[in-house]
Amino acid sequence: MIPDSYRLASEKGGNIATILHGAYGDYFEQLLCIVDLARKHPEKSFHVFFANHYRMDEFTKLDLDFAKTVAYVDKIEDTPVDIFYQFQVFDEELNEEVLTRLSPDTLAKIDRKNNLLPHVYMKHMQPESIHHSVLPWSEKGLKSFQTILSTLPADIFSGKTIGFMWRYRSAGGAVKPLLMPSEKTLINKYSQVLRQAIDDWNCHVIVAGMKVKTTEENKFYVDAKFPEYGLNFTHENLHYLPGKGWLAEVELISQCDIVLCNPSGFSEAIFLKGKNCIVVDPPLHYVLKTIKNGFPLFNIGYRTTEQTSLLLRCIPGMQGTDYLRKKIHSCFSSELPESTSAS
Protein backbone atom coordinates (compact mmCIF):
# COMPACT_ATOMS: atom_id res chain seq x y z
CA MET A 1 0.00 0.00 0.00
CA ILE A 2 1.30 3.44 -0.91
CA PRO A 3 2.46 5.50 2.12
CA ASP A 4 0.09 8.22 3.30
CA SER A 5 2.61 10.92 2.38
CA TYR A 6 2.26 9.88 -1.29
CA ARG A 7 -1.52 10.05 -1.32
CA LEU A 8 -3.37 12.98 -2.88
CA ALA A 9 -6.18 13.81 -0.50
CA SER A 10 -9.41 14.94 -2.16
CA GLU A 11 -9.88 17.82 0.28
CA LYS A 12 -6.59 19.45 -0.73
CA GLY A 13 -8.12 21.42 -3.58
CA GLY A 14 -8.51 21.07 -7.32
CA ASN A 15 -5.34 22.72 -8.67
CA ILE A 16 -2.27 20.50 -8.22
CA ALA A 17 1.18 21.77 -9.22
CA THR A 18 4.55 20.10 -9.51
CA ILE A 19 8.06 21.38 -10.30
CA LEU A 20 10.12 19.10 -12.54
CA HIS A 21 13.81 19.41 -11.73
CA GLY A 22 17.15 17.61 -11.67
CA ALA A 23 18.84 15.66 -14.47
CA TYR A 24 17.00 14.41 -17.56
CA GLY A 25 16.31 11.07 -15.91
CA ASP A 26 14.79 12.83 -12.89
CA TYR A 27 12.48 14.81 -15.16
CA PHE A 28 11.40 11.65 -16.97
CA GLU A 29 10.64 9.74 -13.79
CA GLN A 30 8.90 12.63 -12.03
CA LEU A 31 6.79 13.21 -15.14
CA LEU A 32 5.90 9.52 -15.37
CA CYS A 33 4.57 9.64 -11.81
CA ILE A 34 2.61 12.87 -12.34
CA VAL A 35 0.99 11.44 -15.47
CA ASP A 36 -0.12 8.43 -13.42
CA LEU A 37 -1.40 10.70 -10.65
CA ALA A 38 -3.37 12.77 -13.19
CA ARG A 39 -4.96 9.63 -14.62
CA LYS A 40 -6.00 8.53 -11.13
CA HIS A 41 -7.47 11.98 -10.36
CA PRO A 42 -9.27 13.22 -13.49
CA GLU A 43 -11.35 15.55 -11.31
CA LYS A 44 -8.29 17.72 -10.60
CA SER A 45 -6.29 20.14 -12.75
CA PHE A 46 -2.54 19.63 -12.98
CA HIS A 47 0.04 22.36 -13.52
CA VAL A 48 3.58 21.39 -14.54
CA PHE A 49 6.48 23.79 -14.10
CA PHE A 50 10.05 23.34 -15.33
CA ALA A 51 13.07 24.39 -13.29
CA ASN A 52 15.34 24.52 -16.35
CA HIS A 53 14.75 26.09 -19.77
CA TYR A 54 16.76 23.43 -21.61
CA ARG A 55 14.93 20.57 -19.90
CA MET A 56 11.65 22.29 -20.73
CA ASP A 57 12.63 22.54 -24.38
CA GLU A 58 13.37 18.79 -24.39
CA PHE A 59 10.29 17.56 -22.53
CA THR A 60 7.82 19.71 -24.43
CA LYS A 61 8.73 17.37 -27.29
CA LEU A 62 6.15 15.17 -25.58
CA ASP A 63 2.41 15.77 -25.73
CA LEU A 64 1.69 17.26 -22.29
CA ASP A 65 -1.99 17.95 -22.89
CA PHE A 66 -2.85 16.16 -19.63
CA ALA A 67 -1.68 19.33 -17.84
CA LYS A 68 -3.65 22.57 -17.71
CA THR A 69 -0.42 24.57 -17.38
CA VAL A 70 3.01 23.77 -18.86
CA ALA A 71 5.42 26.59 -18.09
CA TYR A 72 8.77 27.69 -16.74
CA VAL A 73 8.93 28.20 -12.94
CA ASP A 74 8.74 31.98 -13.27
CA LYS A 75 5.00 31.53 -13.99
CA ILE A 76 4.23 29.80 -10.68
CA GLU A 77 3.13 32.96 -8.87
CA ASP A 78 0.78 33.81 -11.76
CA THR A 79 -0.98 30.43 -11.62
CA PRO A 80 -3.84 29.46 -9.28
CA VAL A 81 -2.41 26.55 -7.27
CA ASP A 82 -3.96 24.90 -4.20
CA ILE A 83 -1.15 22.47 -3.39
CA PHE A 84 2.11 21.14 -4.78
CA TYR A 85 2.73 17.44 -5.25
CA GLN A 86 6.48 17.73 -5.15
CA PHE A 87 9.16 15.11 -5.75
CA GLN A 88 12.70 15.32 -4.33
CA VAL A 89 11.92 18.47 -2.34
CA PHE A 90 15.19 18.18 -0.37
CA ASP A 91 17.26 18.66 -3.52
CA GLU A 92 19.74 21.50 -2.95
CA GLU A 93 19.50 22.84 -6.49
CA LEU A 94 15.71 22.97 -6.32
CA ASN A 95 15.84 24.84 -3.03
CA GLU A 96 18.55 27.30 -4.04
CA GLU A 97 17.39 28.08 -7.58
CA VAL A 98 13.60 27.83 -7.31
CA LEU A 99 12.08 27.60 -3.84
CA THR A 100 14.03 30.54 -2.38
CA ARG A 101 12.44 32.76 -5.03
CA LEU A 102 8.85 31.88 -4.19
CA SER A 103 6.57 33.92 -1.96
CA PRO A 104 5.79 32.72 1.59
CA ASP A 105 2.18 32.03 0.54
CA THR A 106 3.34 29.78 -2.29
CA LEU A 107 5.94 28.01 -0.14
CA ALA A 108 3.20 27.21 2.37
CA LYS A 109 1.55 25.04 -0.31
CA ILE A 110 4.66 22.80 -0.58
CA ASP A 111 5.26 19.97 1.88
CA ARG A 112 8.96 20.47 2.66
CA LYS A 113 9.15 17.74 5.31
CA ASN A 114 8.43 14.67 3.19
CA ASN A 115 10.94 13.95 0.44
CA LEU A 116 8.78 12.10 -2.09
CA LEU A 117 10.82 9.85 -4.39
CA PRO A 118 9.70 8.74 -7.87
CA HIS A 119 11.01 5.21 -7.30
CA VAL A 120 8.91 4.83 -4.16
CA TYR A 121 5.83 6.09 -6.01
CA MET A 122 6.50 3.74 -8.95
CA LYS A 123 6.85 0.79 -6.60
CA HIS A 124 3.10 1.11 -6.01
CA MET A 125 2.12 1.52 -9.66
CA GLN A 126 0.95 -1.39 -11.78
CA PRO A 127 3.84 -2.55 -14.03
CA GLU A 128 1.75 -2.09 -17.16
CA SER A 129 0.86 1.43 -15.98
CA ILE A 130 4.54 2.33 -15.65
CA HIS A 131 5.29 1.31 -19.23
CA HIS A 132 2.05 2.81 -20.53
CA SER A 133 2.72 6.20 -18.98
CA VAL A 134 5.19 7.23 -21.66
CA LEU A 135 3.59 10.12 -23.52
CA PRO A 136 3.35 10.44 -27.32
CA TRP A 137 5.41 12.96 -29.28
CA SER A 138 4.33 16.52 -29.82
CA GLU A 139 4.85 17.91 -33.32
CA LYS A 140 8.20 19.36 -32.20
CA GLY A 141 9.21 16.01 -30.72
CA LEU A 142 8.34 14.03 -33.82
CA LYS A 143 10.50 16.38 -35.87
CA SER A 144 13.41 15.93 -33.43
CA PHE A 145 13.04 12.15 -33.54
CA GLN A 146 12.98 12.05 -37.34
CA THR A 147 16.01 14.36 -37.55
CA ILE A 148 18.10 12.11 -35.31
CA LEU A 149 16.78 8.96 -36.99
CA SER A 150 18.01 10.37 -40.31
CA THR A 151 21.61 10.17 -39.01
CA LEU A 152 21.32 6.36 -39.14
CA PRO A 153 21.08 4.08 -42.19
CA ALA A 154 17.53 4.08 -43.55
CA ASP A 155 17.07 0.31 -43.17
CA ILE A 156 18.88 -0.09 -39.84
CA PHE A 157 15.97 -1.70 -38.00
CA SER A 158 15.29 -4.24 -40.73
CA GLY A 159 18.11 -6.42 -39.37
CA LYS A 160 19.51 -7.27 -35.95
CA THR A 161 20.46 -4.33 -33.72
CA ILE A 162 22.18 -3.73 -30.41
CA GLY A 163 21.77 -0.46 -28.54
CA PHE A 164 24.61 0.51 -26.21
CA MET A 165 24.39 3.30 -23.64
CA TRP A 166 27.71 4.43 -22.13
CA ARG A 167 27.85 6.24 -18.79
CA TYR A 168 30.98 6.33 -16.68
CA ARG A 169 30.58 7.75 -13.19
CA SER A 170 32.91 10.48 -11.97
CA ALA A 171 34.05 10.81 -8.37
CA GLY A 172 32.06 14.01 -7.77
CA GLY A 173 28.69 12.73 -8.98
CA ALA A 174 25.55 11.66 -7.11
CA VAL A 175 26.47 7.99 -7.66
CA LYS A 176 29.97 7.16 -6.41
CA PRO A 177 32.14 4.99 -8.68
CA LEU A 178 33.16 2.67 -5.84
CA LEU A 179 34.86 -0.53 -7.12
CA MET A 180 34.26 0.42 -10.75
CA PRO A 181 36.93 -0.72 -13.24
CA SER A 182 38.80 1.98 -15.14
CA GLU A 183 37.30 3.62 -18.22
CA LYS A 184 39.96 1.99 -20.39
CA THR A 185 39.16 -1.47 -19.00
CA LEU A 186 35.45 -1.07 -19.65
CA ILE A 187 35.91 0.40 -23.13
CA ASN A 188 38.14 -2.52 -24.08
CA LYS A 189 35.60 -5.02 -22.75
CA TYR A 190 32.58 -3.50 -24.49
CA SER A 191 34.57 -3.03 -27.71
CA GLN A 192 35.51 -6.71 -27.77
CA VAL A 193 31.94 -7.82 -27.11
CA LEU A 194 30.30 -5.50 -29.63
CA ARG A 195 32.85 -6.08 -32.36
CA GLN A 196 32.41 -9.84 -31.91
CA ALA A 197 28.62 -9.42 -32.12
CA ILE A 198 28.93 -7.55 -35.42
CA ASP A 199 31.21 -10.28 -36.79
CA ASP A 200 28.97 -13.12 -35.58
CA TRP A 201 25.55 -11.68 -36.38
CA ASN A 202 26.11 -8.92 -38.94
CA CYS A 203 24.15 -6.70 -36.58
CA HIS A 204 24.19 -2.92 -36.31
CA VAL A 205 25.33 -1.31 -33.05
CA ILE A 206 23.88 2.07 -32.07
CA VAL A 207 25.80 3.91 -29.35
CA ALA A 208 24.49 6.72 -27.14
CA GLY A 209 26.54 8.76 -24.70
CA MET A 210 29.89 8.59 -26.51
CA LYS A 211 31.86 10.42 -29.18
CA VAL A 212 30.04 13.72 -28.77
CA LYS A 213 32.01 16.95 -28.76
CA THR A 214 30.74 19.45 -26.20
CA THR A 215 30.17 22.86 -27.79
CA GLU A 216 28.58 26.14 -26.77
CA GLU A 217 25.47 25.01 -28.66
CA ASN A 218 24.99 21.66 -26.92
CA LYS A 219 26.73 21.98 -23.53
CA PHE A 220 23.46 22.38 -21.63
CA TYR A 221 22.01 19.32 -23.32
CA VAL A 222 24.88 16.87 -22.83
CA ASP A 223 25.74 18.17 -19.33
CA ALA A 224 29.44 17.45 -19.95
CA LYS A 225 28.64 13.74 -19.44
CA PHE A 226 29.36 12.60 -23.00
CA PRO A 227 33.05 11.97 -23.78
CA GLU A 228 34.59 12.73 -27.14
CA TYR A 229 36.13 9.26 -27.33
CA GLY A 230 34.27 6.22 -28.58
CA LEU A 231 34.80 2.47 -28.64
CA ASN A 232 38.21 1.30 -29.77
CA PHE A 233 37.19 -0.01 -33.17
CA THR A 234 35.53 1.31 -36.29
CA HIS A 235 33.07 -0.50 -38.53
CA GLU A 236 30.38 0.46 -41.02
CA ASN A 237 27.83 -1.19 -38.70
CA LEU A 238 28.87 0.94 -35.71
CA HIS A 239 26.88 4.18 -35.32
CA TYR A 240 27.07 6.98 -32.73
CA LEU A 241 24.02 9.08 -31.92
CA PRO A 242 24.73 12.83 -32.05
CA GLY A 243 23.62 13.80 -28.52
CA LYS A 244 21.07 16.31 -29.80
CA GLY A 245 17.86 14.95 -28.32
CA TRP A 246 17.60 13.01 -25.05
CA LEU A 247 14.10 11.67 -25.63
CA ALA A 248 14.69 10.77 -29.29
CA GLU A 249 17.87 8.90 -28.43
CA VAL A 250 16.15 7.04 -25.59
CA GLU A 251 13.48 6.00 -28.09
CA LEU A 252 15.98 4.87 -30.73
CA ILE A 253 18.04 2.79 -28.31
CA SER A 254 14.85 1.22 -26.93
CA GLN A 255 13.89 0.09 -30.45
CA CYS A 256 17.00 -2.10 -30.70
CA ASP A 257 16.67 -5.86 -30.29
CA ILE A 258 19.20 -5.91 -27.44
CA VAL A 259 20.00 -3.02 -25.10
CA LEU A 260 23.34 -3.11 -23.30
CA CYS A 261 23.75 -0.22 -20.88
CA ASN A 262 25.59 1.32 -17.99
CA PRO A 263 22.97 2.41 -15.45
CA SER A 264 21.92 6.06 -15.69
CA GLY A 265 18.81 8.17 -16.00
CA PHE A 266 18.99 7.54 -19.75
CA SER A 267 19.02 3.77 -19.43
CA GLU A 268 16.45 3.87 -16.61
CA ALA A 269 14.07 5.61 -19.03
CA ILE A 270 14.63 2.80 -21.55
CA PHE A 271 13.85 0.22 -18.87
CA LEU A 272 10.76 2.12 -17.73
CA LYS A 273 9.49 2.16 -21.32
CA GLY A 274 9.23 -1.61 -20.97
CA LYS A 275 12.48 -2.65 -22.66
CA ASN A 276 14.46 -5.50 -21.13
CA CYS A 277 18.02 -4.20 -20.63
CA ILE A 278 21.31 -5.93 -19.94
CA VAL A 279 22.77 -3.58 -17.36
CA VAL A 280 26.56 -3.77 -17.20
CA ASP A 281 29.02 -2.82 -14.46
CA PRO A 282 26.65 -0.90 -12.17
CA PRO A 283 28.57 0.87 -9.38
CA LEU A 284 28.04 -0.66 -5.95
CA HIS A 285 26.59 2.67 -4.77
CA TYR A 286 23.96 2.49 -7.54
CA VAL A 287 23.01 -1.08 -6.64
CA LEU A 288 22.65 -0.18 -2.97
CA LYS A 289 20.45 2.83 -3.82
CA THR A 290 18.26 0.59 -5.98
CA ILE A 291 17.81 -1.91 -3.13
CA LYS A 292 17.13 0.89 -0.62
CA ASN A 293 14.41 2.45 -2.80
CA GLY A 294 12.71 -0.91 -3.21
CA PHE A 295 12.03 -0.40 -6.91
CA PRO A 296 13.78 -3.12 -8.97
CA LEU A 297 15.43 -1.04 -11.69
CA PHE A 298 16.76 -3.38 -14.39
CA ASN A 299 15.09 -6.13 -12.32
CA ILE A 300 17.88 -5.87 -9.73
CA GLY A 301 16.40 -6.86 -6.37
CA TYR A 302 15.79 -9.69 -3.96
CA ARG A 303 12.06 -10.49 -4.15
CA THR A 304 12.32 -13.13 -6.89
CA THR A 305 14.94 -15.67 -7.94
CA GLU A 306 15.56 -13.75 -11.17
CA GLN A 307 16.03 -10.44 -9.34
CA THR A 308 18.43 -12.02 -6.85
CA SER A 309 20.40 -13.65 -9.67
CA LEU A 310 20.80 -10.28 -11.39
CA LEU A 311 21.72 -8.67 -8.08
CA LEU A 312 24.54 -11.17 -7.56
CA ARG A 313 25.63 -10.63 -11.17
CA CYS A 314 26.33 -6.99 -10.21
CA ILE A 315 29.36 -8.10 -8.20
CA PRO A 316 32.48 -6.67 -9.89
CA GLY A 317 34.00 -9.15 -12.32
CA MET A 318 30.78 -11.13 -12.80
CA GLN A 319 29.96 -9.53 -16.18
CA GLY A 320 32.99 -10.49 -18.22
CA THR A 321 33.22 -10.73 -22.00
CA ASP A 322 32.17 -14.41 -22.05
CA TYR A 323 29.02 -13.67 -20.06
CA LEU A 324 28.02 -10.76 -22.31
CA ARG A 325 28.73 -12.74 -25.50
CA LYS A 326 26.56 -15.57 -24.22
CA LYS A 327 23.74 -13.13 -23.39
CA ILE A 328 23.86 -11.65 -26.90
CA HIS A 329 24.06 -15.10 -28.48
CA SER A 330 21.08 -16.26 -26.42
CA CYS A 331 18.98 -13.21 -27.37
CA PHE A 332 19.73 -13.40 -31.08
CA SER A 333 19.47 -17.20 -31.23
CA SER A 334 15.98 -17.09 -29.73
CA GLU A 335 14.86 -14.93 -32.67
CA LEU A 336 15.91 -17.51 -35.29
CA PRO A 337 13.67 -20.26 -36.68
CA GLU A 338 14.20 -23.55 -34.83
CA SER A 339 15.88 -25.23 -37.79
CA THR A 340 18.38 -22.37 -38.03
CA SER A 341 19.10 -21.93 -34.32
CA ALA A 342 19.70 -25.64 -33.88
CA SER A 343 22.32 -25.81 -36.59
Side-chain angles (χ1 to χ4, degrees), residues 119-334:
H119 293 155
V120 173
Y121 184 100
M122 288 188 286
K123 184 169 62 174
H124 299 279
M125 290 171 62
Q126 294 295 322
E128 60 272 17
S129 179
I130 293 174
H131 305 324
H132 181 68
S133 292
V134 180
L135 295 164
W137 295 115
S138 64
E139 184 177 348
K140 180 175 72 172
L142 184 59
K143 182 178 179 180
S144 169
F145 175 77
Q146 291 173 338
T147 297
I148 294 175
L149 176 62
S150 70
T151 66
L152 300 172
D155 61 346
I156 193 167
F157 291 110
S158 63
K160 297 184 184 301
T161 53
I162 298 176
F164 173 60
M165 173 60 203
W166 166 265
R167 176 77 162 87
Y168 193 81
R169 299 288 178 171
S170 61
V175 174
K176 311 305 178 188
L178 182 64
L179 302 181
M180 280 192 72
S182 69
E183 288 176 87
K184 183 178 180 180
T185 298
L186 293 182
I187 291 169
N188 286 339
K189 178 170 74 173
Y190 305 145
S191 297
Q192 290 177 39
V193 169
L194 295 170
R195 177 57 197 259
Q196 188 69 52
I198 291 174
D199 291 342
D200 289 347
W201 298 98
N202 192 32
C203 60
H204 285 266
V205 174
I206 304 174
V207 180
M210 292 186 99
K211 215 168 185 180
V212 175
K213 183 178 177 60
T214 300
T215 65
E216 284 298 317
E217 180 185 4
N218 72 8
K219 65 180 181 181
F220 294 106
Y221 291 93
V222 302
D223 286 339
K225 295 175 181 177
F226 292 10
E228 293 186 23
Y229 58 74
L231 298 172
N232 61 15
F233 73 97
T234 58
H235 196 283
E236 62 181 3
N237 285 14
L238 176 64
H239 316 277
Y240 294 92
L241 293 175
K244 294 184 177 180
W246 193 89
L247 289 165
E249 297 193 2
V250 163
E251 177 62 29
L252 286 168
I253 294 292
S254 71
Q255 288 185 15
C256 294
D257 299 308
I258 299 171
V259 173
L260 196 72
C261 58
N262 296 131
S264 67
F266 186 105
S267 49
E268 287 176 12
I270 295 170
F271 172 78
L272 293 169
K273 284 168 66 67
K275 184 70 179 184
N276 189 24
C277 302
I278 303 172
V279 65
V280 290
D281 300 294
L284 176 61
H285 187 200
Y286 183 92
V287 175
L288 293 176
K289 285 168 70 78
T290 298
I291 297 301
K292 178 183 177 182
N293 289 332
F295 186 83
L297 285 165
F298 307 109
N299 213 18
I300 296 170
Y302 55 86
R303 299 187 183 281
T304 68
T305 301
E306 182 185 6
Q307 288 179 7
T308 304
S309 176
L310 289 171
L311 173 61
L312 295 175
R313 184 61 68 175
C314 293
I315 297 172
M318 294 292 286
Q319 295 174 318
T321 55
D322 287 345
Y323 167 75
L324 295 177
R325 285 168 179 160
K326 288 177 182 177
K327 288 289 290 184
I328 291 170
H329 179 83
S330 175
C331 292
F332 279 154
S333 294
S334 66

